PDB file of all heavy atoms in Angstrom:
ATOM      1  N   LYS A 163      97.957 106.624 102.924  1.00  0.00           N
ATOM      2  CA  LYS A 163      98.450 106.079 101.649  1.00  0.00           C
ATOM      3  C   LYS A 163      99.633 105.147 101.938  1.00  0.00           C
ATOM      4  O   LYS A 163      99.655 103.993 101.501  1.00  0.00           O
ATOM      5  CB  LYS A 163      98.906 107.220 100.753  1.00  0.00           C
ATOM      6  CG  LYS A 163      99.776 106.807  99.570  1.00  0.00           C
ATOM      7  CD  LYS A 163     100.160 107.959  98.683  1.00  0.00           C
ATOM      8  CE  LYS A 163     101.463 108.565  99.040  1.00  0.00           C
ATOM      9  NZ  LYS A 163     102.662 107.842  98.560  1.00  0.00           N
ATOM     10  N   ASN A 164     100.589 105.645 102.726  1.00  0.00           N
ATOM     11  CA  ASN A 164     101.825 104.886 102.931  1.00  0.00           C
ATOM     12  C   ASN A 164     101.676 103.771 103.959  1.00  0.00           C
ATOM     13  O   ASN A 164     102.634 103.065 104.253  1.00  0.00           O
ATOM     14  CB  ASN A 164     102.977 105.835 103.316  1.00  0.00           C
ATOM     15  CG  ASN A 164     103.318 106.765 102.154  1.00  0.00           C
ATOM     16  OD1 ASN A 164     102.885 106.538 101.013  1.00  0.00           O
ATOM     17  ND2 ASN A 164     104.034 107.836 102.436  1.00  0.00           N
ATOM     18  N   ARG A 233     106.145 104.159  93.538  1.00  0.00           N
ATOM     19  CA  ARG A 233     107.327 103.611  94.232  1.00  0.00           C
ATOM     20  C   ARG A 233     106.977 102.327  94.971  1.00  0.00           C
ATOM     21  O   ARG A 233     107.775 101.388  95.024  1.00  0.00           O
ATOM     22  CB  ARG A 233     107.834 104.672  95.217  1.00  0.00           C
ATOM     23  CG  ARG A 233     108.955 104.222  96.111  1.00  0.00           C
ATOM     24  CD  ARG A 233     110.275 104.137  95.392  1.00  0.00           C
ATOM     25  NE  ARG A 233     111.343 103.727  96.321  1.00  0.00           N
ATOM     26  CZ  ARG A 233     112.610 103.580  95.942  1.00  0.00           C
ATOM     27  NH1 ARG A 233     112.951 103.816  94.696  1.00  0.00           N
ATOM     28  NH2 ARG A 233     113.531 103.190  96.817  1.00  0.00           N
ATOM     29  N   ARG A 262     116.570 107.617  93.842  1.00  0.00           N
ATOM     30  CA  ARG A 262     115.668 106.621  94.455  1.00  0.00           C
ATOM     31  C   ARG A 262     116.085 105.197  94.061  1.00  0.00           C
ATOM     32  O   ARG A 262     115.324 104.432  93.485  1.00  0.00           O
ATOM     33  CB  ARG A 262     114.206 106.886  94.115  1.00  0.00           C
ATOM     34  CG  ARG A 262     113.759 108.255  94.569  1.00  0.00           C
ATOM     35  CD  ARG A 262     112.265 108.412  94.617  1.00  0.00           C
ATOM     36  NE  ARG A 262     111.692 107.878  95.853  1.00  0.00           N
ATOM     37  CZ  ARG A 262     110.376 107.954  96.100  1.00  0.00           C
ATOM     38  NH1 ARG A 262     109.557 108.457  95.213  1.00  0.00           N
ATOM     39  NH2 ARG A 262     109.894 107.481  97.242  1.00  0.00           N
ATOM     40  N   PRO A 263     117.315 104.835  94.369  1.00  0.00           N
ATOM     41  CA  PRO A 263     117.787 103.477  94.071  1.00  0.00           C
ATOM     42  C   PRO A 263     117.056 102.443  94.923  1.00  0.00           C
ATOM     43  O   PRO A 263     116.318 102.801  95.841  1.00  0.00           O
ATOM     44  CB  PRO A 263     119.262 103.533  94.443  1.00  0.00           C
ATOM     45  CG  PRO A 263     119.378 104.616  95.453  1.00  0.00           C
ATOM     46  CD  PRO A 263     118.333 105.631  95.087  1.00  0.00           C
ATOM     47  N   VAL A 264     117.264 101.158  94.619  1.00  0.00           N
ATOM     48  CA  VAL A 264     116.650 100.092  95.422  1.00  0.00           C
ATOM     49  C   VAL A 264     117.725  99.184  96.003  1.00  0.00           C
ATOM     50  O   VAL A 264     117.434  98.065  96.426  1.00  0.00           O
ATOM     51  CB  VAL A 264     115.634  99.267  94.591  1.00  0.00           C
ATOM     52  CG1 VAL A 264     114.425 100.122  94.215  1.00  0.00           C
ATOM     53  CG2 VAL A 264     116.291  98.662  93.350  1.00  0.00           C
ATOM     54  N   ASP A 265     118.948  99.701  96.071  1.00  0.00           N
ATOM     55  CA  ASP A 265     120.059  98.851  96.547  1.00  0.00           C
ATOM     56  C   ASP A 265     119.826  98.311  97.962  1.00  0.00           C
ATOM     57  O   ASP A 265     120.156  97.156  98.260  1.00  0.00           O
ATOM     58  CB  ASP A 265     121.373  99.623  96.487  1.00  0.00           C
ATOM     59  CG  ASP A 265     121.318 100.930  97.282  1.00  0.00           C
ATOM     60  OD1 ASP A 265     120.297 101.623  97.206  1.00  0.00           O
ATOM     61  OD2 ASP A 265     122.291 101.227  97.997  1.00  0.00           O
ATOM     62  N   LEU A 266     119.231  99.119  98.840  1.00  0.00           N
ATOM     63  CA  LEU A 266     119.009  98.647 100.218  1.00  0.00           C
ATOM     64  C   LEU A 266     117.950  97.540 100.258  1.00  0.00           C
ATOM     65  O   LEU A 266     118.015  96.623 101.083  1.00  0.00           O
ATOM     66  CB  LEU A 266     118.586  99.819 101.119  1.00  0.00           C
ATOM     67  CG  LEU A 266     119.633 100.936 101.275  1.00  0.00           C
ATOM     68  CD1 LEU A 266     119.085 102.087 102.098  1.00  0.00           C
ATOM     69  CD2 LEU A 266     120.921 100.398 101.879  1.00  0.00           C
ATOM     70  N   HIS A 267     116.980  97.634  99.342  1.00  0.00           N
ATOM     71  CA  HIS A 267     115.959  96.569  99.250  1.00  0.00           C
ATOM     72  C   HIS A 267     116.641  95.252  98.854  1.00  0.00           C
ATOM     73  O   HIS A 267     116.403  94.213  99.465  1.00  0.00           O
ATOM     74  CB  HIS A 267     114.921  96.916  98.176  1.00  0.00           C
ATOM     75  CG  HIS A 267     114.083  98.126  98.478  1.00  0.00           C
ATOM     76  ND1 HIS A 267     112.732  98.076  98.736  1.00  0.00           N
ATOM     77  CD2 HIS A 267     114.409  99.437  98.535  1.00  0.00           C
ATOM     78  CE1 HIS A 267     112.275  99.295  98.957  1.00  0.00           C
ATOM     79  NE2 HIS A 267     113.265 100.136  98.837  1.00  0.00           N
ATOM     80  N   SER A 303     115.894 103.064 105.572  1.00  0.00           N
ATOM     81  CA  SER A 303     114.970 103.223 104.445  1.00  0.00           C
ATOM     82  C   SER A 303     113.594 102.651 104.805  1.00  0.00           C
ATOM     83  O   SER A 303     113.488 101.491 105.233  1.00  0.00           O
ATOM     84  CB  SER A 303     115.519 102.460 103.226  1.00  0.00           C
ATOM     85  OG  SER A 303     114.487 102.091 102.349  1.00  0.00           O
ATOM     86  N   VAL A 304     112.534 103.436 104.603  1.00  0.00           N
ATOM     87  CA  VAL A 304     111.169 102.986 104.911  1.00  0.00           C
ATOM     88  C   VAL A 304     110.810 101.782 104.040  1.00  0.00           C
ATOM     89  O   VAL A 304     110.450 100.717 104.542  1.00  0.00           O
ATOM     90  CB  VAL A 304     110.159 104.126 104.690  1.00  0.00           C
ATOM     91  CG1 VAL A 304     108.721 103.650 104.844  1.00  0.00           C
ATOM     92  CG2 VAL A 304     110.441 105.273 105.654  1.00  0.00           C
ATOM     93  N   GLY A 305     110.957 101.943 102.750  1.00  0.00           N
ATOM     94  CA  GLY A 305     110.542 100.867 101.840  1.00  0.00           C
ATOM     95  C   GLY A 305     111.386  99.627 101.978  1.00  0.00           C
ATOM     96  O   GLY A 305     110.858  98.503 101.944  1.00  0.00           O
ATOM     97  N   THR A 445     110.216 114.390 105.738  1.00  0.00           N
ATOM     98  CA  THR A 445     110.520 115.010 104.440  1.00  0.00           C
ATOM     99  C   THR A 445     109.233 115.323 103.688  1.00  0.00           C
ATOM    100  O   THR A 445     109.169 116.290 102.919  1.00  0.00           O
ATOM    101  CB  THR A 445     111.417 114.090 103.593  1.00  0.00           C
ATOM    102  OG1 THR A 445     111.583 114.630 102.293  1.00  0.00           O
ATOM    103  CG2 THR A 445     110.850 112.687 103.473  1.00  0.00           C
ATOM    104  N   ASP A 446     108.183 114.532 103.918  1.00  0.00           N
ATOM    105  CA  ASP A 446     106.912 114.775 103.212  1.00  0.00           C
ATOM    106  C   ASP A 446     106.206 116.015 103.727  1.00  0.00           C
ATOM    107  O   ASP A 446     105.318 116.542 103.055  1.00  0.00           O
ATOM    108  CB  ASP A 446     105.972 113.566 103.370  1.00  0.00           C
ATOM    109  CG  ASP A 446     106.574 112.305 102.799  1.00  0.00           C
ATOM    110  OD1 ASP A 446     107.548 112.410 102.027  1.00  0.00           O
ATOM    111  OD2 ASP A 446     106.096 111.212 103.145  1.00  0.00           O
ATOM    112  N   VAL A 468     116.776 113.870 103.524  1.00  0.00           N
ATOM    113  CA  VAL A 468     116.332 112.527 103.129  1.00  0.00           C
ATOM    114  C   VAL A 468     116.468 112.290 101.636  1.00  0.00           C
ATOM    115  O   VAL A 468     117.011 111.282 101.190  1.00  0.00           O
ATOM    116  CB  VAL A 468     114.868 112.286 103.589  1.00  0.00           C
ATOM    117  CG1 VAL A 468     114.366 110.939 103.108  1.00  0.00           C
ATOM    118  CG2 VAL A 468     114.783 112.382 105.117  1.00  0.00           C
ATOM    119  N   PHE A 469     115.965 113.228 100.820  1.00  0.00           N
ATOM    120  CA  PHE A 469     116.064 113.075  99.362  1.00  0.00           C
ATOM    121  C   PHE A 469     116.978 114.157  98.796  1.00  0.00           C
ATOM    122  O   PHE A 469     116.945 115.307  99.248  1.00  0.00           O
ATOM    123  CB  PHE A 469     114.679 113.185  98.718  1.00  0.00           C
ATOM    124  CG  PHE A 469     113.800 111.997  98.975  1.00  0.00           C
ATOM    125  CD1 PHE A 469     112.764 112.064  99.885  1.00  0.00           C
ATOM    126  CD2 PHE A 469     114.041 110.788  98.327  1.00  0.00           C
ATOM    127  CE1 PHE A 469     111.972 110.949 100.140  1.00  0.00           C
ATOM    128  CE2 PHE A 469     113.241 109.674  98.582  1.00  0.00           C
ATOM    129  CZ  PHE A 469     112.213 109.761  99.491  1.00  0.00           C
ATOM    130  N   ARG A 472     114.470 117.363  96.512  1.00  0.00           N
ATOM    131  CA  ARG A 472     113.065 117.469  96.883  1.00  0.00           C
ATOM    132  C   ARG A 472     112.664 118.939  97.006  1.00  0.00           C
ATOM    133  O   ARG A 472     111.915 119.338  97.883  1.00  0.00           O
ATOM    134  CB  ARG A 472     112.765 116.726  98.190  1.00  0.00           C
ATOM    135  CG  ARG A 472     111.279 116.698  98.394  1.00  0.00           C
ATOM    136  CD  ARG A 472     110.782 115.846  99.506  1.00  0.00           C
ATOM    137  NE  ARG A 472     109.396 115.477  99.214  1.00  0.00           N
ATOM    138  CZ  ARG A 472     108.755 114.469  99.757  1.00  0.00           C
ATOM    139  NH1 ARG A 472     109.366 113.696 100.629  1.00  0.00           N
ATOM    140  NH2 ARG A 472     107.506 114.204  99.421  1.00  0.00           N
ATOM    141  N   ARG A 512     103.819 115.944  97.153  1.00  0.00           N
ATOM    142  CA  ARG A 512     103.768 116.929  98.253  1.00  0.00           C
ATOM    143  C   ARG A 512     104.041 118.330  97.718  1.00  0.00           C
ATOM    144  O   ARG A 512     103.557 119.301  98.283  1.00  0.00           O
ATOM    145  CB  ARG A 512     104.761 116.559  99.358  1.00  0.00           C
ATOM    146  CG  ARG A 512     104.606 115.163  99.897  1.00  0.00           C
ATOM    147  CD  ARG A 512     103.232 114.856 100.455  1.00  0.00           C
ATOM    148  NE  ARG A 512     103.105 113.419 100.743  1.00  0.00           N
ATOM    149  CZ  ARG A 512     102.002 112.832 101.140  1.00  0.00           C
ATOM    150  NH1 ARG A 512     100.923 113.528 101.293  1.00  0.00           N
ATOM    151  NH2 ARG A 512     101.972 111.531 101.348  1.00  0.00           N
TER     152      ARG A 512
HETATM  153  C1  LIG B 125     108.748 106.247 101.591  1.00  0.00           C
HETATM  154  O1  LIG B 125     109.486 106.261 100.372  1.00  0.00           O
HETATM  155  C2  LIG B 125     107.469 107.021 101.314  1.00  0.00           C
HETATM  156  N1  LIG B 125     106.729 106.372 100.246  1.00  0.00           N
HETATM  157  C3  LIG B 125     107.808 108.455 100.903  1.00  0.00           C
HETATM  158  O2  LIG B 125     106.595 109.148 100.765  1.00  0.00           O
HETATM  159  C4  LIG B 125     108.619 109.119 102.005  1.00  0.00           C
HETATM  160  O3  LIG B 125     108.990 110.409 101.584  1.00  0.00           O
HETATM  161  C5  LIG B 125     109.860 108.279 102.291  1.00  0.00           C
HETATM  162  O4  LIG B 125     109.471 106.923 102.636  1.00  0.00           O
HETATM  163  C6  LIG B 125     110.679 108.836 103.442  1.00  0.00           C
HETATM  164  O5  LIG B 125     109.901 108.909 104.599  1.00  0.00           O
HETATM  165  C7  LIG B 125     105.961 105.289 100.556  1.00  0.00           C
HETATM  166  O6  LIG B 125     105.900 104.845 101.689  1.00  0.00           O
HETATM  167  C8  LIG B 125     105.189 104.684  99.428  1.00  0.00           C
HETATM  168  P1  LIG B 125     113.187 105.642 101.679  1.00  0.00           P
HETATM  169  P2  LIG B 125     110.793 105.302 100.227  1.00  0.00           P
HETATM  170  O7  LIG B 125     113.536 104.323 101.134  1.00  0.00           O
HETATM  171  O8  LIG B 125     110.544 104.042 100.949  1.00  0.00           O
HETATM  172  C9  LIG B 125     117.464 106.336  99.830  1.00  0.00           C
HETATM  173  C10 LIG B 125     105.059 110.520  99.745  1.00  0.00           C
HETATM  174  O9  LIG B 125     105.124 111.728  99.529  1.00  0.00           O
HETATM  175  N2  LIG B 125     117.410 104.918  99.462  1.00  0.00           N
HETATM  176  O10 LIG B 125     113.041 105.815 103.158  1.00  0.00           O
HETATM  177  O11 LIG B 125     111.145 105.258  98.799  1.00  0.00           O
HETATM  178  C11 LIG B 125     116.477 107.165  99.025  1.00  0.00           C
HETATM  179  O12 LIG B 125     117.017 107.517  97.759  1.00  0.00           O
HETATM  180  C12 LIG B 125     106.247 109.652  99.460  1.00  0.00           C
HETATM  181  O13 LIG B 125     104.088 109.925 100.265  1.00  0.00           O
HETATM  182  C13 LIG B 125     118.559 104.324  98.934  1.00  0.00           C
HETATM  183  O14 LIG B 125     119.601 104.965  98.780  1.00  0.00           O
HETATM  184  O15 LIG B 125     111.862 106.187 101.010  1.00  0.00           O
HETATM  185  C14 LIG B 125     116.264 108.358  99.917  1.00  0.00           C
HETATM  186  O16 LIG B 125     117.310 109.276  99.721  1.00  0.00           O
HETATM  187  C15 LIG B 125     107.340 110.414  98.779  1.00  0.00           C
HETATM  188  N3  LIG B 125     118.499 103.014  98.576  1.00  0.00           N
HETATM  189  C16 LIG B 125     116.341 107.766 101.327  1.00  0.00           C
HETATM  190  O17 LIG B 125     116.998 106.503 101.188  1.00  0.00           O
HETATM  191  C17 LIG B 125     117.353 102.274  98.723  1.00  0.00           C
HETATM  192  O18 LIG B 125     117.378 101.069  98.383  1.00  0.00           O
HETATM  193  C18 LIG B 125     114.984 107.538 101.958  1.00  0.00           C
HETATM  194  O19 LIG B 125     114.257 106.698 101.107  1.00  0.00           O
HETATM  195  C19 LIG B 125     116.213 102.899  99.252  1.00  0.00           C
HETATM  196  C20 LIG B 125     116.254 104.220  99.625  1.00  0.00           C
END
Side-chain angles (χ1 to χ4, degrees):
K163 164 178 93 80
N164 294 346
R233 174 75 178 180
R262 301 197 82 178
V264 293
D265 56 318
L266 297 176
H267 295 247
S303 155
V304 173
T445 174
D446 300 344
V468 176
F469 288 105
R472 189 171 204 161
R512 306 303 170 185

